[in-house]
Amino acid sequence: MKAIILVGGEGTRLRPLTLHCLKSMVPMLGHAFLEYQFAFLRQHGIRDIILSTCHKPELLRAAFGTGRRYGIKLHYALESQPLGTAGAIRNAGKFINRRETVVVLNGDILTDINLTRMAAVHRGQRSVLTIGLTWVEDPSAYGLVQTNQAGRVHSFLEKPSPGEGQTHWINSGVYIFDSAIFDQIPEGENYSSERQLFPELLSAGQRVWSFPSRDYWMDIGTPAKYLQAHQDILEGRMFMLPIGSVAKKNSKLYMGKRCRFHSTAELSSPGILGDDCFVAEEARIGEFAVLGSKVKVGPHAVIRHSVIWDGVDIGEGAKLSGCVIGSACRIGRFVTVRPGSVLGQGTIIPDYSVV
Ligand code: GDD
Ligand code: MG
């Protein structure tokens, strides 16, 4: 089987982090996000992967190239203007023989869903499309999928208005398609899977099946969910790629190469420091602190529940909690960065500020 990953969106909900970085490439515990999807697909024996790109494709090519480094073969399908989620699949379909079954993934989901079992359901039900479902408390930001007892999908409702929709089972953005369906998508037009193609398949009475799963699932497309995904990985709620060595026996504190820290600095688990970090005296790197590489932490600074990208300089006595700090930011002395703050690449925060 081959896979298509949709990575053409602009990632607006993750701005300012996505002004210089693609949503599918945001760092996550020392890896670009897509590496988790590559590892997930590889676990299920899929090595031929088509990246369906639109926005800044050159960044993807520069980072992932042929895919050889990840044990996969990458192809790039380009769009000169956004084709929407279905138009993008049709465009990527030029790399696929029409008799094949294809996995399609939204490019911003982190999941452990059992793709191998899902493919078996797809075959067993002779379905033209099988949609992986996940259960969420608040389904309003997603596509709601209603099925009959046997799992056949009878309705699809994207981003319901308040009061609309009756289920907590949502579209997880993991699909198995019979590629023959691709020819039902208009070519070269902006066309949506969720608002056009899926409802059309259902009203035409085609066999669309569901695969409900309670395995780990997260759409990392907002800062809060992006932070949460780090915490979940560190707590072992889903598979994890290698991220450095464990600093203390029996702990979940991971450390890259050449890190230096003062003997009075306090590092708590779970957490991770990338390569070449420096932590000064009496600084406290608290639980769920995720530091990229070349991060400098000044004396008495405190960092908790935060994700800090590469090359950030954190001044003396600064306090950071619940925030995401983009690469190469300079956080002044005695600055407080409060929960929910997201700083874009290169931001400079003057001493004593509260953000
Ligand atoms: N190539 C290409 N071209 N990719 C696109 C385009 C496009 O025009 N538009 C969006 N994408 C990609 C995005 O990069 C992302 O990986 C994926 O399609 C889904 O887009 P999002 O913008 O993240 O959608 P969403 O999160 O609001 O909703 C979707 O995902 C939910 C699960 O996370 C829908 O599929 C919902 O039904 C679903 O529940
Ligand atoms: Mg999304």
Side-chain angles (χ1 to χ4, degrees):
M1 251 193 318
K2 289 184 180 153
I4 297 173
I5 309 181
L6 301 176
V7 289
E10 290 192 42
T12 46
R13 286 163 291 184
L14 266 186
R15 281 182 188 160
L17 299 170
T18 44
L19 292 177
H20 301 280
C21 177
L22 291 173
K23 174 162 72 167
S24 50
M25 291 176 64
V26 290
M28 190 162 263
L29 299 152
H31 296 276
F33 179 71
L34 269 184
E35 291 181 48
Y36 289 87
Q37 293 204 333
F38 297 160
F40 165 68
L41 290 170
R42 239 186 15 231
Q43 271 184 349
H44 294 280
I46 299 171
R47 288 168 194 276
D48 245 311
I49 302 172
I50 300 138
L51 294 181
S52 161
T53 74
C54 180
H55 187 61
K56 300 191 176 139
E58 67 287 357
L59 296 182
L60 291 157
R61 270 191 202 277
F64 304 120
T66 61
R68 219 170 121 200
R69 230 174 329 138
Y70 309 99
I72 54 173
K73 190 162 178 214
L74 284 176
H75 311 268
Y76 295 84
L78 305 178
E79 288 158 42
S80 46
Q81 54 190 15
L83 290 175
T85 42
I89 295 171
R90 162 101 210 210
N91 184 50
K94 60 188 168 218
F95 292 95
I96 286 161
N97 176 326
R98 283 298 180 269
R99 301 170 84 89
E100 283 181 78
T101 299
V102 185
V103 172
V104 177
L105 296 181
N106 283 355
D108 57 354
I109 49 150
L110 184 64
T111 185
D112 259 349
I113 191 167
N114 192 329
L115 206 49
T116 304
R117 278 186 41 220
M118 183 169 161
V121 169
H122 180 84
R123 282 191 303 272
Q125 297 297 346
R126 290 174 293 106
S127 165
V128 296
L129 164 66
T130 302
I131 305 178
L133 308 186
T134 190
W135 194 97
V136 293
E137 185 60 46
D138 175 10
S140 58
Y142 303 105
L144 270 58
V145 182
Q146 282 187 310
T147 68
N148 67 14
Q149 287 278 343
R152 185 168 180 164
V153 176
H154 58 73
S155 81
F156 192 102
L157 180 61
E158 183 68 9
K159 317 256 160 69
S161 325
E164 243 189 328
Q166 304 271 320
T167 180
H168 288 266
W169 286 98
I170 58 131
N171 167 23
S172 67
V174 179
Y175 314 102
I176 299 183
F177 274 84
D178 260 13
S179 58
I181 294 289
F182 296 174
D183 295 325
Q184 296 183 30
I185 303 169
E187 203 172 1
E189 253 181 59
N190 188 299
Y191 210 71
S192 161
S193 293
E194 299 84 350
R195 296 182 195 276
Q196 292 167 287
L197 178 66
F198 299 163
E200 280 163 17
L201 292 176
L202 294 173
S203 59
Q206 303 224 45
R207 289 178 75 82
V208 178
W209 228 265
S210 65
F211 181 75
S213 164
R214 292 274 186 180
D215 288 327
Y216 183 83
W217 181 88
M218 179 73 72
D219 176 331
I220 58 115
T222 63
K225 301 273 166 137
Y226 172 66
L227 259 178
Q228 180 68 44
H230 284 81
Q231 187 161 328
D232 293 343
I233 297 176
L234 283 172
E235 283 184 323
R237 295 208 190 121
M238 73 153 320
F239 82 88
M240 182 164 66
L241 293 170
I243 53 173
S245 53
V246 175
K248 289 191 216 153
K249 214 176 169 200
N250 299 328
S251 89
K252 284 187 179 161
L253 180 64
Y254 300 88
M255 186 124 3
K257 300 180 194 103
R258 301 173 299 275
C259 288
R260 288 175 299 137
F261 43 94
H262 194 271
S263 57
T264 58
E266 212 178 280
L267 282 76
S268 318
S269 145
I272 170 169
L273 282 74
D275 294 340
D276 301 296
C277 288
F278 172 72
V279 184
E281 66 268 19
E282 309 271 345
R284 276 188 287 148
I285 310 288
E287 53 180 17
F288 299 111
V290 175
L291 275 53
S293 58
K294 297 193 175 129
V295 174
K296 276 196 216 139
V297 181
H300 304 277
V302 180
I303 306 174
R304 287 211 254 101
H305 286 269
S306 296
V307 175
I308 319 288
W309 290 14
D310 294 349
V312 172
D313 205 331
I314 297 166
E316 177 182 358
K319 289 191 168 47
L320 283 69
S321 103
C323 58
V324 184
I325 311 290
S327 336
C329 287
R330 298 277 167 273
I331 311 292
R333 298 168 61 234
F334 302 100
V335 163
T336 301
V337 185
R338 291 183 296 195
S341 300
V342 182
L343 305 186
Q345 178 177 325
T347 305
I348 298 174
I349 306 290
D351 296 348
Y352 297 98
S353 309
V354 177
V355 290

